[in-house]
Amino acid sequence: MMCSVGDSFDLDMEGNLPVKDYTCKDCGNRFKGIGKNVKCPSCQSKNVAES
């Protein structure tokens, strides 16, 4: 059994996530995304491509 009291988790995620540039094929919005299921923050379309 593991117990943690007081200290918060120290996650250093800076520089470890592959942020990519995407373009939405439906509305033309350009944005940065992370992960496999990226969708446009403007129109919510999943019809996006890396740019």
Side-chain angles (χ1 to χ4, degrees):
M1 178 178 218
M2 184 173 171
C3 184
S4 176
V5 178
D7 294 332
S8 61
F9 292 99
D10 185 23
L11 298 176
D12 181 17
M13 297 176 67
E14 187 173 321
N16 294 330
L17 296 175
V19 179
K20 298 178 181 176
D21 293 321
Y22 290 91
T23 300
C24 179
K25 293 181 179 180
D26 290 338
C27 72
N29 183 35
R30 290 183 174 204
F31 59 96
K32 294 187 182 297
I34 299 171
K36 294 180 181 177
N37 298 315
V38 178
K39 66 180 179 180
C40 176
S42 180
C43 70
Q44 307 302 313
S45 172
K46 292 184 178 180
N47 189 16
V48 299
E50 285 185 41
S51 53

